[in-house]
């Protein structure tokens, strides 16, 4: 009768006889406890650091698996048959033909099965958690530190800060998973060898169709109604006067519960198809727009006066959410918006005279680094207020300090010199800018027309009703909020 311990010994001996197995066993034995401890620290969230994840899932785990492979490789192929003969054909034949040894073989199989199961379990766990690690916001957002800082910062301040990067950038399914991993390897290479573009180029051509990303959470048909938008602003005057712009935005729906598609989301109604042709990388110059209506009828709006040589130039694209919501989560504000937000939330004190104007002057200068920007914003504001409001600064120094820190934050959240991202690098298509030259007005500019002269509407009431503009006490809000305050 062969003892169970003998089997284990034979197994160990088998490993010991093969150098390859021995190396494998050494690797496995050393990595195993480290892997288990590091894994627990990571899974339990005791240490939160993207580099720990990288160490576990990209370094330790592959090493551990390599060790295992070496062990079994060695057992099968690299050992002297004559000695222990574990797992070789001769050995197995001998075990099977000699009846008294069959027991031993069974036990050996039990040991091997047990070890294999244990390893499969560990590998399974590691690949599962490793998969989740490479899909995590922490990996995508912070691993390549400098490169993703702008996107990660803007994302954290956005409505989608609880939606993982992969929900929009990869979506579900094996095909895009593989594509993403291949592209991820290219990106890691670009970061390692410092060959990535600064800033990262947009629009991203390879973005997955919205049907598999945005529309997994948002239904295009869904009735959004008319949305009241109140924009709080501060004028560049001595009092930093607080004013409001009020718009009733006709978001509408893509046709919900029997109701027809209407308003802004009419574009994404399942029956409508809008294909546009653009001639520049930024998709800003749109030469023609083809609307296919639910019945199949086509309408072409063109701005090239029917000059046919232009007709086939450029690239075509089917319009979807991203053509308006190109910044659903990486929302970089303009200097005015960023400062207004800080003033509204009290991060910059509104009592400090001319702070809107002065802060804007400081944050819109061009700086080579964030450090330089912060220092220069501080010294710039300090010297201006010392010169123009010496008493105020002497009496209440904390007010100026707070304003400086608020202005620095407004800068740091939106401008990233190390990635060459300035105030207007990434523009939002959701609107038209003060000069009516971008976003919606790439098409709604009145100059795209059909052969019979119809245009894409540019009338101010097409998309919204402007209820108040830069008004210190909008009547409409007094009515809605109750007349006691504005
Ligand atoms: C709600 C969906 C969504 C989420 C969540 C999201 N992104 Fe994006 N991301 C987009 C869209 C849409 C674009 C821009 C597409 C365009 O302009 O072509 C984009 C663009 C980018 C770009 C290109 C540069 C830029 O600023 O436009 C990078 C880099 C990026 N995302 C990284 C990330 C990282 C890292 C995360 C997680 C921290 C993340 N994204 C989360 C939708 C998302
Ligand atoms: C995993 C789910 C998910 C995905 C994918 C997703 N979103 Fe969202 N989105 C949300 C949630 C949740 C909110 C609401 C946040 C809140 O109000 O707290 C939201 C909010 C929004 C809003 C309203 C923002 C605001 O200012 O209030 C817009 C617009 C939007 N999403 C567009 C998009 C677009 C465009 C995409 C694709 C690029 C997308 N979403 C992908 C879940 C998602
Ligand atoms: C023609 C441009 C356009 C297209 C295309 C478009 N949207 Fe919008 N959407 C808007 C505008 C404008 C608003 C109002 C946003 C604002 O100013 O707050 C809006 C509002 C929304 C809101 C609600 C925000 C809120 O606060 O209630 C969601 C969610 C949304 N869009 C998702 C989508 C999704 C998903 C798609 C693609 C299926 C899409 N949109 C396509 C322009 C568009
Ligand atoms: C790629 C071109 C394109 C862009 C960009 C675009 N639109 Fe349109 N839009 C169209 C076309 C084409 C029509 C249909 C005109 C017609 O039927 O006469 C239309 C119609 C509309 C309508 C009328 C819908 C109805 O009920 O019939 C609204 C409202 C609208 N757009 C709002 C917007 C807003 C807001 C934006 C920007 C956030 C925007 N559009 C961006 C092409 C565009
Ligand atoms: C094709 C649709 C469309 C048309 C036409 C249009 N707008 Fe707008 N407008 C928008 C959208 C979208 C926004 C952005 C709302 C937001 O930022 O949430 C906007 C924002 C605004 C704002 C607020 C800007 C701010 O940040 O304070 C004003 C003011 C404005 N529009 C005035 C006008 C005037 C005046 C016209 C007529 C010449 C006009 N719009 C025509 C879609 C349109």
């Amino acid at each position: 009768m062969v003892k169970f311990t003998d089997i284990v010994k034979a197994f160990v001996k088998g490993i010991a006889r093969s150098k390859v197995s021995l190396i494998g066993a050494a690797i496995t034995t050393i990595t195993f406890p480290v892997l288990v401890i590091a894994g627990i620290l990571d899974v339990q969230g005791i240490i939160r650091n993207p580099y720990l994840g990288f160490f576990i899932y990209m370094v330790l785990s592959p090493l551990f698996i390599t060790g295992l492979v070496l062990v079994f490789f060695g057992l099968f192929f690299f050992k002297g048959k004559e000695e222990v003969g574990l797992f070789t054909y001769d050995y197995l034949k001998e075990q099977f033909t000699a009846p008294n040894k069959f027991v031993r073989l069974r036990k050996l199989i039990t040991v091997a099965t047990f070890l294999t199961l244990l390893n499969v379990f560990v590998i399974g766990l590691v690949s599962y958690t490793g998969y989740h690690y490479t899909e995590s916001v922490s990996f995508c957002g912070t691993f390549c530190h400098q490169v993703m800082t702008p996107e990660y910062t803007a994302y954290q301040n956005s409505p989608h800060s609880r939606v993982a990067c992969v929900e929009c950038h990869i979506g579900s399914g094996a095909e895009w998973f593989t594509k993403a991993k291949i592209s991820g390897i290219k990106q890691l290479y670009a970061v390692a060898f410092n060959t990535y573009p600064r800033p990262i180029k947009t629009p991203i051509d390879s973005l997955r169709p919205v049907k598999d990303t945005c529309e997994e959470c948002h239904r295009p048909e869904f009735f959004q109604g008319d949305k009241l938008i109140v924009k709080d602003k501060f004028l560049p005057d001595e009092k930093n006067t607080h004013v409001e712009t009020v718009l009733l935005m006709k978001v509408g729906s893509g046709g919900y519960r029997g109701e027809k598609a209407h308003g802004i989301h009419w574009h994404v109604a399942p029956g409508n198809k809008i294909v546009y042709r653009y001639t520049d990388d930024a998709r800003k110059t749109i030469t023609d727009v083809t609307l296919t209506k639910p019945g199949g009828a086509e309408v072409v709006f063109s701005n090239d006066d029917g000059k046919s040589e232009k007709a086939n130039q450029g690239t075509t694209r089917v319009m979807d959410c991203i053509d308006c919501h190109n910044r659903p989560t990486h929302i970089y504000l303009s200097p005015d918006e960023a400062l207004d937000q800080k003033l509204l939330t009290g991060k910059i004190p509104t009592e400090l005279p001319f702070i809107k104007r002065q802060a804007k002057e400081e944050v819109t200068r061009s700086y080579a680094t964030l450090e330089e920007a912060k220092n220069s914003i501080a010294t710039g504001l300090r010297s201006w207020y010392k010169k123009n409001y010496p008493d105020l600064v002497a009496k209440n120094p904390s007010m100026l300090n707070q304003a400086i820190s608020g202005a620095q934050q407004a800068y740091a959240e939106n401008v990233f010199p190390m990635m060459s991202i300035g105030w207007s690098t990434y523009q939002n298509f959701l609107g038209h800018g003060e000069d009516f030259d971008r976003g919606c007005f790439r098409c709604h500019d009145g100059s795209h027309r059909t052969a019979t002269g119809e245009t894409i509407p540019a009338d101010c009431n097409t998309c919204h009703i402007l209820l108040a503009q830069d008004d210190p006490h909008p009547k409409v809000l007094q009515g809605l909020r109750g007349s006691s305050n504005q």
Side-chain angles (χ1 to χ4, degrees):
M1 184 67 187
V2 188
K3 274 200 244 138
F4 194 70
T5 44
D6 291 344
I7 311 285
V8 177
K9 272 187 201 148
F11 190 76
V12 172
K13 250 165 123 188
I15 290 174
R17 290 253 155 68
S18 155
K19 278 207 186 100
V20 176
S21 291
L22 205 60
I23 295 169
I27 295 176
T28 314
T29 319
I30 296 167
T31 47
F32 185 75
V34 189
L35 191 61
V36 169
I37 294 170
I40 291 172
L41 289 179
D42 187 53
V43 172
Q44 292 292 318
I46 300 166
I47 298 181
R48 288 230 170 273
N49 184 328
Y51 298 99
L52 175 70
F54 184 80
F55 178 63
I56 300 175
Y57 303 116
M58 305 282 179
V59 180
L60 272 186
S61 312
L63 210 60
F64 176 72
I65 292 167
T66 312
L68 283 181
V69 171
L70 285 181
V71 168
F72 284 96
F73 207 58
L75 279 176
F76 275 108
F77 299 107
F78 283 98
K79 51 176 304 309
K81 283 181 201 158
E82 60 297 342
E83 304 267 352
V84 176
L86 203 59
F87 289 131
T88 59
Y89 175 68
D90 290 345
Y91 174 79
L92 289 175
K93 201 166 110 189
E94 189 196 330
Q95 297 293 320
F96 272 109
T97 45
N100 60 328
K101 282 191 172 174
F102 194 60
V103 183
R104 190 184 146 119
L105 182 72
R106 260 196 2 237
K107 290 200 173 160
L108 192 60
I109 290 175
T110 315
V111 174
T113 313
F114 174 73
L115 284 178
T116 309
L117 280 181
L118 186 73
N119 288 329
V120 164
F121 177 73
V122 172
I123 292 172
L125 199 71
V126 160
S127 4
Y128 178 77
T129 43
Y131 160 77
H132 280 275
Y133 166 66
T134 59
E135 302 278 283
S136 71
V137 169
S138 132
F139 176 71
C140 304
T142 58
F143 185 70
C144 303
H145 214 66
Q146 140 160 349
V147 190
M148 287 296 137
T149 307
E151 283 72 29
Y152 187 55
T153 310
Y155 158 90
Q156 283 174 311
N157 298 326
S158 88
H160 285 107
S161 58
R162 299 265 172 97
V163 174
C165 319
V166 293
E167 303 259 19
C168 294
H169 285 283
I170 303 175
S172 54
E175 184 199 343
W176 283 82
F177 175 78
T178 321
K179 271 191 198 175
K181 295 297 156 207
I182 293 170
S183 130
I185 291 165
K186 278 194 217 152
Q187 288 165 24
L188 279 180
Y189 174 89
V191 171
F193 293 93
N194 199 6
T195 59
Y196 54 88
R198 299 177 181 78
I200 294 170
K201 199 186 126 312
T202 56
I204 308 177
D205 292 324
S206 59
L207 214 59
R208 188 169 180 178
V210 293
K211 194 165 71 53
D212 305 319
T213 57
C214 318
E215 291 183 18
E216 295 266 313
C217 298
H218 302 284
R219 278 184 70 185
E221 306 94 317
F222 183 68
F223 178 66
Q224 304 277 359
D226 290 345
K227 185 184 172 190
L228 190 74
I229 295 179
V230 181
K231 290 177 178 275
D232 289 277
K233 301 178 184 194
F234 295 84
L235 300 182
D237 57 11
E238 181 170 9
K239 288 204 169 112
N240 310 303
T241 309
H242 181 194
V243 295
E244 286 169 309
T245 291
V246 185
L247 298 147
L248 191 67
M249 190 64 63
K250 301 177 180 176
V251 186
S253 92
Y256 192 56
R257 294 193 167 168
E259 157 212 53
K260 272 168 108 184
H262 66 282
I264 299 170
H265 277 183
W266 161 89
H267 299 84
V268 285
N272 284 332
K273 186 172 166 205
I274 298 175
V275 179
Y276 67 90
R277 186 188 298 280
Y278 58 95
T279 52
D280 60 338
D281 288 344
R283 298 185 189 149
K284 277 190 178 157
T285 313
I286 292 180
T287 52
D288 53 78
V289 183
T290 307
L291 163 67
T292 312
K293 293 184 178 170
E298 267 191 14
V299 189
V300 182
F301 300 89
S302 168
N303 77 346
D304 67 0
D305 305 325
K307 283 191 200 103
S308 58
E309 72 266 22
K310 265 198 191 171
N312 290 320
Q313 283 173 10
T315 317
T316 54
R317 179 181 148 84
V318 180
M319 185 175 183
D320 66 26
C321 319
I322 307 292
D323 289 297
C324 301
H325 297 283
N326 67 329
R327 306 267 126 220
T329 191
H330 312 296
I331 307 169
Y332 304 95
L333 303 177
S334 70
D336 275 314
E337 288 168 330
L339 291 170
D340 287 345
Q341 212 180 65
K342 297 294 171 207
L343 282 154
L344 187 69
T345 52
K347 297 260 164 60
I348 297 178
T350 47
E351 308 84 59
L352 192 61
F354 285 118
I355 184 61
K356 171 73 190 287
R357 191 185 74 186
Q358 291 312 117
K360 187 173 170 190
E361 198 177 309
E362 294 303 330
V363 300
T364 47
R365 284 186 220 282
S366 114
Y367 302 107
T369 64
L370 179 60
E371 224 35 59
E372 184 196 322
K374 283 189 167 171
N375 291 336
S376 175
I377 290 168
T379 46
L381 287 178
R382 227 177 268 293
S383 67
W384 193 85
Y385 280 96
K386 276 213 175 107
K387 191 166 150 231
N388 295 285
Y389 291 89
D391 297 346
L392 189 75
V393 176
K395 217 172 76 197
N396 193 350
S398 70
M399 191 152 79
L400 179 59
N401 288 339
Q402 204 187 333
I404 289 171
S405 123
Q408 288 170 333
Q409 275 174 33
Y411 182 91
E413 285 166 8
N414 297 287
V415 183
F416 302 87
M418 80 280 191
M419 285 300 292
S420 308
I421 296 176
W423 282 106
S424 55
T425 303
Y426 292 123
Q427 285 184 350
N428 202 335
F429 286 162
L430 200 72
H432 39 63
E434 278 170 30
D435 301 329
F436 299 95
D437 58 350
R438 51 187 150 105
C440 317
F441 272 64
R442 291 171 301 153
C443 296
H444 287 264
D445 60 353
S447 71
H448 292 77
R449 50 186 81 239
T450 61
T452 52
E454 289 148 79
T455 56
I456 301 176
D459 182 85
C460 299
N461 289 345
T462 311
C463 310
H464 52 62
I465 310 291
L466 191 55
L467 297 167
Q469 190 169 13
D470 295 347
D471 186 338
H473 302 287
K475 276 220 174 57
V476 57
L477 289 186
Q478 288 174 27
L480 289 171
R481 289 173 175 166
S483 54
S484 58
N485 58 5
Q486 50 143 334

